Amino acid sequence: MEEDNFYIFSSENFVDLNLYQCGWEKCASGHSFGPTTRNHFLFHYVVRGKGTLISNDGKGKDTEFHISGGQGFLIFPGQITTYFADKDNPWEYTWLEFDGLKVKEVIDLTKLTIENPVYKPKDSKLAEGLLHEMTYISHNPQEGVFNIIGHVYLFLHYLTTSYWRENVMRTTKMSDFYIKESINFIEQKYMQDISVDDIAELCHLNRSYLTKIFKQSTGKSPKEFLIIYRMSKAQTLLRNTELSVADIGRAVGYNNQLNFSRAFKNFCGSSPSIWREKN
C-alpha cells in the first residue's frame, strides 16, 4: 500500500539556502515518477527497499542507477529524470527540495555530480545523522522558519561529511576574495541604484571576468544575485510592513515604481500588490 506525506515550504525567501518542499513516501510496487525536471536541487534518501533512477546528464545520455536502502540520489536543477520503485521490494524514502546561492558550492564538496548522482555514504553514523535531520524536517514542517532552515544546514553538514570529495582543494584564491567583496557590496548597497559595472569597478575587474568567476562559485551571475537579494528584501517588506509598493521599490534600489513592479513580477510571478494579498 502506498503511503505518503509532503509539505510545501513557502515562508521567507532566504538567499543563501531555502527549502521548497519536503516529504516522506512508502511507495507501492512499481510506483514511478517522471520523466520530469526540477527547478531546484532535490535529494532523496532511501530508508529501505529498492528502486531505479534514470537520469540525463544534459548531453543526451541517459543512465540507469539501481539504489537500495541506506543510499540516496540527488536531482540537479533542469535535469530530466525518471525514478520508480522495485516491484518486489519497493522503496521507502524521504526527500528535501532546496536551493540557494550557497548550495552549488556545498554540493561541489561532495562526490555528487549530474553524471554520478547516487549517494553512497562512507560512514553509517553520519548517514544516520543525515536521515535524522531529514526526518525531523519532514515530520515537523510547522516549526519556526529559522528552526527548519537550521536543520537544513545540519542536513547539508551530514551530506558533505558523509560523502566528501577527497580531492577538494581548500585553498584561498583571489577569486574567492573578489566574490566576497562583491557580495558584501551588494548587501550594503542593494538599496541604491547600483549595477554590475559598479561591482566590477569596486573589484577592479573586467565585468565579463567577474561574471565568470561569480557564476562558477555561486551558480548565479552577479546580476541574478543582485535581483534575488533585492526581491527577497522586497518580499520581507511586503509581508511585514504597510509601506506602499513605491516606497518598498525605493527601499530595494528601484526609484521607478513601474520598473520595480515589472522586476518583481518577473521574479515572483505576480505583482507586488497581489503577492502581498496572498502572503
Side-chain angles (χ1 to χ4, degrees), residues 106 126 152-162:
V106 173
L126 293 174
V152 179
Y153 273 107
L154 287 171
F155 153 75
L156 291 176
H157 162 73
Y158 286 112
L159 180 66
T160 55
T161 54
S162 64

Side-chain angles (χ1 to χ4, degrees), residues 73-276:
F73 58 96
L74 179 67
I75 296 173
F76 288 73
Q79 184 181 24
I80 301 173
T81 60
T82 301
Y83 45 99
F84 51 90
D86 185 79
K87 290 184 178 180
D88 299 322
N89 186 16
W91 55 16
E92 178 180 348
Y93 51 54
T94 182
W95 75 85
L96 300 179
E97 183 175 1
F98 57 95
D99 211 335
L101 293 174
K102 290 293 185 181
V103 171
K104 181 181 181 297
E105 182 180 347
V106 173
I107 297 302
D108 285 345
L109 297 175
T110 74
K111 289 185 176 183
L112 296 166
T113 66
I114 197 168
E115 295 85 8
N116 298 290
V118 179
Y119 168 75
K120 299 178 181 179
K122 303 175 184 179
D123 186 305
S124 59
K125 291 294 184 183
L126 293 174
E128 288 174 10
L130 177 139
L131 175 59
H132 173 78
E133 298 306 327
M134 296 184 71
T135 302
Y136 178 89
I137 294 167
S138 63
H139 287 80
N140 298 277
Q142 302 293 346
E143 290 291 337
V145 58
F146 292 107
N147 181 316
I148 294 296
I149 291 297
H151 283 279
V152 179
Y153 273 107
L154 287 171
F155 153 75
L156 291 176
H157 162 73
Y158 286 112
L159 180 66
T160 55
T161 54
S162 64
Y163 205 45
W164 184 263
R165 182 159 56 92
E166 289 87 350
N167 61 347
V168 173
M169 297 296 291
R170 306 291 289 179
T171 59
T172 300
K173 301 179 293 184
M174 281 304 296
S175 60
D176 294 334
F177 170 77
Y178 291 135
I179 291 164
K180 288 179 180 178
E181 285 291 289
S182 300
I183 292 175
N184 287 338
F185 182 74
I186 290 171
E187 290 175 340
Q188 295 172 17
K189 304 288 186 180
Y190 73 91
M191 70 291 294
Q192 300 177 18
D193 186 19
I194 61 171
S195 66
V196 177
D197 288 331
D198 295 323
I199 303 171
E201 183 178 351
L202 169 77
C203 297
H204 304 288
L205 294 177
N206 176 276
R207 173 174 173 155
S208 61
Y209 177 69
L210 174 64
T211 299
K212 177 183 177 182
I213 62 173
F214 201 100
K215 195 160 189 175
Q216 285 175 343
S217 177
T218 68
K220 302 286 190 298
S221 70
K223 182 178 180 180
E224 290 170 330
F225 184 101
L226 178 58
I227 291 172
I228 291 170
Y229 198 86
R230 281 173 164 166
M231 294 302 111
S232 68
K233 294 296 184 181
Q235 287 176 331
T236 299
L237 291 172
L238 285 166
R239 181 184 287 115
N240 299 324
T241 76
E242 295 182 1
L243 291 172
S244 69
V245 171
D247 286 341
I248 291 174
R250 284 190 289 270
V252 297
Y254 292 88
N255 292 324
N256 184 297
Q257 181 179 338
L258 180 61
N259 289 341
F260 168 63
S261 295
R262 184 182 297 116
F264 190 93
K265 187 172 183 178
N266 287 339
F267 183 79
C268 299
S270 62
S271 70
S273 298
I274 293 176
W275 191 93
R276 171 179 261 170

